[in-house]
Amino acid sequence: MKTDKYIKNYIGGALIPPDSGEYIDNISPPTGEVYSHIPDSDESDIQKAVEAAERAFPDWSTCGVEKRYRILTRIADIIEQNLDDFAHAESLDSGKPITMSKSVDIPRAHANIRFFATAIMHFASESHHMEKNAVNFTLRQPIGVVGCISPWNLPLYLFTWKIAPALASGNCVIAKPSEVTPMTAFLFAQACEEAGLPPGVLNIVHGLGPKAGEAIIKHPKIKAISFTGGTNTGREIARIAAPMFKKLSLELGGKNPNIIFADCDFDKMIFDTLRSSFSNNGQICLCGSRIFVERPIYEKFKEEFVKRTQFLKVGEPFSPVTDLGAMVSQSHMEKVMSYIELAKVEGGEILCGGKPVEMEGRFEKGFYLRPTIIEGLDPYCRTNQEEIFGPVVTIMPFDTEEEVLEYANSVDYGLSCTLWTKDVSRANRMAEQIQAGVVWVNCWLLRDLRTPFGGVKNSGVGREGGLEALRFFTEAKNVCIKY
Ligand code: NDP
């Protein structure tokens, strides 16, 4: 696996430059410096990719699940064997700690591929018998050429989460990683080549969202879109794709509540609340950014949480002691800082953080922000209603279940929720009423890949994960046979 100063598209099995010959600068967040260049692809590259995918589809869709399983597991093996290279590229490109790239992002990427490579071997469909009359069976067939577009926060992790089920179920794919974090997608293309993935089955086109990304959405031959990213982008994609009757899976933003009852296991809760607040600099759609604490333990929680947050080490991502690396880009850091300023205007008190970290030497121009805790805000103010997507959380006391449910459900989003309580009845009552696609009780980010994953309200449409993803990437056809 080799990184390169000039990243290439992967189209028709070849690593090639964009048709226009134009490139975009790729900035490394830890140093703030340009370190490589990304193809500035446009509709002509997408057209080429679609033609390659259409040529590949007849063979790939009919070659049998065993062949697809073998090739996909080979790709997974190659990623695993090159863990260090992939992890280094991920951290350099996104700013996240190398410890996280090595233990979370890259292992999850090859796990995604293995999961769907094996799942397709067991994928079955229903049959419906009409007594003494007929039998119906559901034929599930790949859709054709599909588009997968992913964001920058978990680059290879989310890229493979979409591509693997699409390929396993026999589709050919046009995929675009975020322009902000393209490098591991480039390495992934090399792994596909090495594993013997037939040309055109997967095409990776780099470039800007509104240009290369939109060309995928608009292309009439691309029949389904699996997208993860911001809610506004999702809305724009739906606006274009819905009148074309494309199948759509949209995994969008979140503003997740973390609800802490006084009867919780305090030590476990505080440990996981640090993780759910600040992992990956809070740049995970599942982070719990609104923390509601039952009043009897509010002061104890506040003191302990602030103390432990101040111990977190913000630093360059390649140090093994770094807890929080660099934010993904200057513009994103400025957006997060603007929310800290807004919180002050809205009457919030900054209990810790709130400022960039002054770095020295090579990392002086990188994008580093202290983890920030804010208190004293109204649950309905903008800081508590809009997605910030950074290392910024608010803490608020509450007195009753009804009250906290009202706060938790007051946002436009509905992705995930975390509950901390030892009362099983309460956990079930709350889980039933929380408006979210995922509810964690006494844990956070514990994922079984077989479970449905997705959001309600403005957090998205459709579900990923397990059989849901294989169903999304296939069309169901009922065949009715009379006897
Ligand atoms: P964006 O919506 O800005 O971008 C996501 C992807 O879409 C990128 O590849 C982007 O390309 C591309 N894109 C942008 N505009 C268009 C367009 N008009 N047509 C087609 N593609 C387009 O999201 P971010 O990358 O900023 O990611 C952060 C967001 O993702 C947060 O809101 C977060 O909550 C959400 N997210 C949701 C998850 C979930 O599972 N629900 C998981 C992870 C993140 P480019 O980068 O080149 O602009």
Side-chain angles (χ1 to χ4, degrees):
M1 305 297 95
K2 277 199 313 242
T3 57
D4 198 329
K5 264 202 165 304
Y6 283 85
I7 289 173
K8 296 186 180 62
N9 287 331
Y10 174 58
I11 297 178
L15 292 164
I16 55 173
D19 276 356
S20 66
E22 301 291 323
Y23 287 83
I24 310 156
D25 287 345
N26 186 22
I27 295 168
S28 176
T31 60
E33 282 165 4
V34 174
Y35 86 107
S36 64
H37 306 275
I38 311 151
D40 185 6
S41 310
D42 57 27
E43 67 234 359
S44 114
D45 303 282
I46 298 296
Q47 179 59 30
K48 231 189 225 171
V50 171
E51 285 167 14
E54 285 196 299
R55 279 195 300 276
F57 181 69
D59 280 352
W60 183 249
S61 56
T62 56
C63 69
V65 288
E66 197 148 335
K67 178 165 177 188
R68 297 205 290 266
Y69 154 80
R70 284 223 183 89
I71 294 176
L72 288 171
T73 42
R74 265 206 298 273
I75 298 172
D77 290 345
I78 293 169
I79 296 174
E80 190 169 17
Q81 285 151 13
N82 291 278
L83 170 75
D84 288 347
D85 290 350
F86 272 95
H88 186 270
E90 202 70 295
S91 289
L92 196 60
D93 224 18
S94 68
K96 69 178 67 197
I98 188 84
T99 46
M100 182 175 181
S101 297
K102 276 192 182 174
S103 63
V104 179
D105 289 69
I106 307 306
R108 175 61 190 275
H110 57 75
N112 286 339
I113 299 172
R114 273 200 200 95
F115 176 82
F116 285 110
T118 51
I120 198 64
M121 302 278 279
H122 305 273
F123 189 45
S125 63
E126 310 81 31
S127 88
H128 301 89
H129 186 216
M130 302 164 82
E131 290 77 8
K132 296 186 182 164
N133 190 3
V135 66
N136 296 269
F137 71 93
T138 311
L139 187 57
R140 285 209 164 261
Q141 294 173 301
I143 297 169
V145 181
V146 300
C148 297
I149 299 182
S150 58
W152 47 256
N153 62 329
L154 298 163
L156 193 63
Y157 174 135
L158 290 174
F159 202 49
T160 51
W161 180 236
K162 299 183 170 306
I163 291 171
L167 293 182
S169 47
N171 299 282
C172 291
V173 175
I174 316 297
K176 191 194 94 59
S178 169
E179 141 244 342
V180 184
T181 51
M183 195 56 91
T184 49
F186 178 49
L187 298 184
F188 179 57
Q190 296 171 42
C192 293
E193 227 185 0
E194 195 180 320
L197 188 71
V201 167
L202 170 64
N203 304 275
I204 300 176
V205 185
H206 296 269
L208 298 169
K211 199 166 165 183
E214 207 167 300
I216 294 176
I217 309 301
K218 284 185 172 156
H219 201 291
K221 294 279 173 58
I222 298 179
K223 300 290 181 204
I225 305 288
S226 174
F227 169 81
T228 299
T231 294
N232 284 339
T233 317
R235 192 173 281 120
E236 179 60 12
I237 288 174
R239 192 186 64 75
I240 298 170
M244 299 172 85
F245 305 112
K246 295 191 183 202
K247 233 177 157 180
L248 276 181
S249 165
L250 302 173
E251 299 295 337
L252 311 175
K255 185 75 178 174
N256 310 310
N258 178 5
I259 303 175
I260 300 166
F261 287 95
D263 70 346
C264 70
D265 178 329
F266 191 87
D267 291 342
K268 263 199 202 158
M269 175 279 295
I270 202 92
F271 177 82
D272 269 341
T273 293
L274 271 179
R275 290 177 55 236
S276 67
S277 302
F278 302 122
S279 289
N280 204 34
N281 259 320
Q283 301 167 145
I284 301 181
C285 54
L286 303 163
C287 278
S289 53
R290 294 179 295 148
I291 305 178
F292 299 104
V293 187
E294 206 175 7
R295 202 173 300 275
I297 61 162
Y298 183 80
E299 289 303 325
K300 177 181 171 195
F301 169 81
K302 174 172 141 184
E303 192 184 323
E304 191 64 25
F305 185 49
V306 170
K307 191 173 86 194
R308 293 200 194 198
T309 300
Q310 284 169 330
F311 271 125
L312 292 174
K313 171 104 180 77
V314 184
E316 56 97 354
F318 297 103
S319 160
V321 297
T322 291
D323 295 304
L324 281 78
M327 304 282 297
V328 78
S329 66
Q330 179 155 11
S331 63
H332 187 59
M333 180 152 134
E334 283 165 5
K335 178 194 145 190
V336 174
M337 290 291 300
S338 77
Y339 272 103
I340 295 172
E341 291 311 309
L342 173 69
K344 290 182 197 161
V345 172
E346 290 185 318
E349 186 189 341
I350 311 294
L351 299 179
C352 65
K355 288 196 237 63
V357 179
E358 303 292 326
M359 300 285 285
E360 290 176 352
R362 254 188 88 203
F363 304 104
E364 197 182 18
K365 295 202 197 105
F367 320 125
Y368 299 89
L369 185 59
R370 290 191 193 287
T372 302
I373 303 173
I374 307 170
E375 161 181 73
L377 286 172
D378 184 284
Y380 304 101
C381 71
R382 277 185 57 207
T383 309
N384 269 324
Q385 295 282 313
E386 296 175 15
E387 185 183 46
I388 301 176
F389 215 55
V392 178
V393 296
T394 60
I395 61 172
M396 287 157 281
F398 70 89
D399 294 298
T400 66
E401 260 177 64
E402 295 70 32
E403 178 194 4
V404 76
L405 256 174
E406 165 89 32
Y407 296 156
N409 289 339
S410 69
V411 294
D412 288 337
Y413 297 102
L415 191 52
S416 72
C417 168
T418 305
L419 298 170
W420 291 95
T421 177
K422 284 190 191 141
D423 180 338
V424 179
S425 300
R426 171 156 61 202
N428 279 290
R429 267 196 313 274
M430 294 287 292
E432 267 175 20
Q433 294 177 81
I434 285 286
Q435 296 166 356
V438 179
V439 178
W440 278 294
V441 181
N442 299 329
C443 58
W444 177 72
L445 210 62
L446 186 55
R447 289 277 298 123
D448 180 328
L449 301 188
R450 293 169 300 181
T451 59
F453 177 84
V456 300
K457 303 201 286 191
N458 289 5
S459 289
V461 179
R463 291 292 177 272
E464 297 186 317
L467 299 181
E468 301 282 345
L470 295 177
R471 289 197 190 105
F472 174 76
F473 283 116
T474 49
E475 285 288 9
K477 184 189 282 175
N478 187 61
V479 181
C480 177
I481 307 168
K482 181 154 173 58
Y483 61 87

